[in-house]
Amino acid sequence: MLEGALSLFDASPLAAAAETVRMAPLAERMRPRSLAEYSGQQHLLGEGKPLRLAIDHDDGGSMIFWGPPGVGKTTLAKIIAQVTQASFIEFSAVLSGIKEIKQVMVEAEKAAGFGSRTILFVDEIHRFNKAQQDAFLPYVERGTIRLIGATTENPSFEINAALLSRCRVYTLVALSEEEIVALMRRALSDAERGLGASGVEAEDEALATIAAYASGDARNALNALEVASKLAVGRGETTITKALASEAMQRRMLLYDKKGEQHYDIISALHKSVRNSDPDAALYWLGRMLVAGEDPMYCARRIVRMAVEDIGLAAPEALNLCLSARDAMHFLGSPEGDLALAQAVVYLALAPKSNAVYTAYGAVQADIQATVAEPVPLHLRNAPTRLMKELNYGRDYQYAHDVEGRVADMECLPASLAGRKYYQPTQEGRERQLAARMEEIARIKNGKRG
């Protein structure tokens, strides 16, 4: 080591702490220290809003913060601990188990005996299994700890009912582009924690580009801003341009979890866009899924389902087209095969719509559950043996090809369901022809009865 140089190990604890903060990522350095610095979530933190009232009144209840990454769940928990003068213990559900939970609980119980309050913050609480979540229950009930859990997944599905019933759930939303731009401007001007000392500025278009690419995640935006700043300084420049910002981002960070709520929300948006005959929206939501890394064969399966559920016999060729798109995707892979799926969703969106078969089959299933499983009527049974013929199997059966109009006046449903009508074709597309054919069949039957 050069003479006069000071290593981190030789520095005072205060100096070492300052150096650690200086070396931390920009997003960590700029973490808000108070509600005044906190951005977003005005539906919860605005004057008179529920979470703001709970904080102002020092409400000691446990809570779950549910929202996408980078919206300030951890920061908010730390601010609450500071405002309420409570000890803050941070847990990661990825790294901790029941042993660590119980150890912390024991220490918190001892502290409570001396009048000290503890906030236990559990990041990604949805990753704890039922047994681990249950370990919190007695301590939450006794008020030994105030639990604040953070999750990106729907708590209704991921948090067990006993723990969920003892917590209030607050839904945090992605930050707007304007809020993210404001955070970046603050970081650029802050000489103590941010980039102010570097002298680097940013074009409005550059900040807008980063904000758009960050998809509501402040952490991603600040990390990208820091990379762009280092690129600028390294090149002897003092301004972050739009091109430099794009280079720093490389690729848009799309919020998507292939097993979580975004997965179901976006496939739902795709399906409903197709059903509503909106090809532009259908293409957009398909693109969102594929660009974010969704399994294209999952998309293909759901597209086939749309063909049978929402298009049906109004355009029966849609099913074959979708099966062909699936085969093309399997054969070509991405990105070439993506076009086959895109072609399929555009066709489905523009095709005539009918859920008549879907509705009819649902009614059939309901009748199967609600009625007695009657035997097949004798006239519809095969009679391959002499005994069966003697028992009247097949008696009075009318072979349709041998009667006028090739339609026999013969009931084919069980007696209790005789005359039941399940399939009610629409006047859309090919089903208009099927409806006309059904009317013709009814006239033939009525003529034979008359």
Side-chain angles (χ1 to χ4, degrees), residues 39 53 58 122 138 140 142 147 210-211 293 300 316 319 341 357 390 438:
S39 294
L53 289 174
D58 197 5
V122 182
V140 170
R142 291 199 296 267
L147 174 67
I210 294 175
L319 177 57
L341 299 184
V357 173
E390 290 174 352
M438 289 179 70

Side-chain angles (χ1 to χ4, degrees), residues 374-425:
E374 293 184 69
V376 174
L378 287 173
H379 64 276
L380 294 180
R381 300 188 196 185
N382 280 332
T385 68
R386 180 179 176 182
L387 175 61
M388 288 176 164
K389 290 177 182 177
E390 290 174 352
L391 293 173
N392 293 328
Y393 279 37
R395 184 179 178 180
D396 297 328
Y397 170 66
Q398 300 177 58
Y399 187 55
H401 292 284
D402 291 342
V403 300
E404 184 181 356
R406 289 183 168 76
V407 178
D409 183 21
M410 178 178 62
E411 182 59 65
C412 295
L413 281 168
S416 67
L417 295 172
R420 184 83 157 87
K421 302 297 182 187
Y422 292 109
Y423 177 55
Q424 305 288 342

Side-chain angles (χ1 to χ4, degrees), residues 295-305 322 326 329 341:
D295 177 6
M297 295 309 291
Y298 168 78
C299 296
R301 288 192 295 274
R302 291 299 298 253
I303 290 168
V304 170
R305 175 186 168 181
C322 291
R326 177 206 61 183
M329 184 72 244
L341 299 184

Side-chain angles (χ1 to χ4, degrees), residues 113-162:
F114 293 100
S116 177
R117 295 187 294 178
T118 300
I119 286 180
L120 178 64
F121 176 73
V122 182
D123 195 18
E124 298 188 90
I125 193 171
H126 60 274
R127 294 184 182 271
F128 274 148
N129 60 35
K130 185 178 184 300
Q132 290 169 317
Q133 291 182 27
D134 284 344
F136 292 117
L137 283 175
Y139 302 98
V140 170
E141 287 181 332
R142 291 199 296 267
T144 302
I145 60 161
R146 182 182 186 185
L147 174 67
I148 300 181
T151 178
T152 57
E153 304 295 330
N154 191 326
S156 301
F157 304 139
E158 304 295 340
I159 311 297
N160 71 52

Side-chain angles (χ1 to χ4, degrees), residues 44-373:
L44 298 176
L45 295 171
E47 290 297 328
K49 298 300 182 180
L51 184 53
R52 183 59 177 264
L53 289 174
I55 296 172
D56 289 345
H57 295 155
D58 197 5
D59 187 335
S62 292
M63 58 187 72
I64 302 292
F65 291 155
W66 171 30
V71 298
K73 296 186 291 293
T74 303
T75 298
L76 192 51
K78 289 182 175 180
I79 291 173
I80 291 172
Q82 176 188 333
V83 171
T84 59
Q85 297 182 334
S87 299
F88 185 82
I89 300 176
E90 189 171 354
F91 246 25
S92 169
V94 178
L95 303 174
S96 308
I98 289 182
K99 181 181 178 181
E100 291 84 359
I101 293 172
K102 290 184 175 178
Q103 182 178 346
V104 168
M105 296 300 107
V106 169
E107 293 173 359
E109 207 153 30
K110 290 179 181 176
F114 293 100
S116 177
R117 295 187 294 178
T118 300
I119 286 180
L120 178 64
F121 176 73
V122 182
D123 195 18
E124 298 188 90
I125 193 171
H126 60 274
R127 294 184 182 271
F128 274 148
N129 60 35
K130 185 178 184 300
Q132 290 169 317
Q133 291 182 27
D134 284 344
F136 292 117
L137 283 175
Y139 302 98
V140 170
E141 287 181 332
R142 291 199 296 267
T144 302
I145 60 161
R146 182 182 186 185
L147 174 67
I148 300 181
T151 178
T152 57
E153 304 295 330
N154 191 326
S156 301
F157 304 139
E158 304 295 340
I159 311 297
N160 71 52
L163 184 58
L164 194 60
S165 68
R166 292 161 175 80
C167 300
R168 277 168 293 182
V169 177
Y170 294 104
T171 303
L172 281 69
V173 298
L175 275 65
S176 69
E177 293 183 15
E178 292 78 10
E179 289 168 337
I180 289 179
V181 167
L183 287 174
M184 290 190 287
R185 290 194 187 284
R186 184 189 301 168
L188 285 167
S189 62
D190 191 321
E192 179 188 352
R193 296 183 294 156
L195 303 172
S198 69
V200 172
E201 299 177 343
E203 294 178 350
D204 290 344
E205 282 192 342
L207 296 181
T209 297
I210 294 175
Y213 274 48
S215 297
D217 187 327
R219 186 184 302 110
N220 280 337
L222 290 171
N223 287 342
L225 181 67
E226 184 171 32
V227 171
S229 171
K230 289 178 179 178
L231 287 173
V233 171
R235 297 171 185 178
E237 301 172 4
T238 59
T239 302
I240 299 173
T241 62
K242 181 179 179 181
L244 198 60
S246 297
E247 185 179 346
M249 287 298 300
Q250 293 297 314
R251 187 179 179 194
R252 186 168 194 167
M253 302 299 294
L254 288 177
L255 173 61
Y256 194 77
D257 183 338
K258 288 193 280 186
K259 293 184 179 179
E261 181 153 347
Q262 282 287 316
H263 165 84
Y264 296 108
D265 284 349
I266 294 182
I267 192 60
S268 174
L270 170 58
H271 195 155
K272 289 169 182 172
S273 299
V274 164
R275 182 180 293 151
N276 201 46
S277 301
D278 189 332
D280 300 303
L283 274 176
Y284 173 78
W285 293 118
L286 174 68
R288 277 279 296 271
M289 296 184 80
L290 295 175
V291 170
E294 179 59 78
D295 177 6
M297 295 309 291
Y298 168 78
C299 296
R301 288 192 295 274
R302 291 299 298 253
I303 290 168
V304 170
R305 175 186 168 181
M306 295 171 206
V308 296
E309 181 178 333
D310 291 292
I311 312 305
L313 292 176
E317 70 279 2
L319 177 57
N320 285 333
L321 185 146
C322 291
L323 289 172
S324 296
R326 177 206 61 183
D327 292 344
M329 184 72 244
H330 182 71
F331 180 68
L332 293 173
S334 289
E336 293 85 355
D338 297 355
L339 286 175
L341 299 184
Q343 178 177 311
V345 299
V346 169
Y347 185 86
L348 293 181
L350 296 176
K353 306 295 188 296
S354 171
N355 69 342
V357 173
Y358 179 79
T359 302
Y361 189 62
V364 166
Q365 291 177 308
D367 276 355
I368 289 170
Q369 294 297 324
T371 61
V372 175

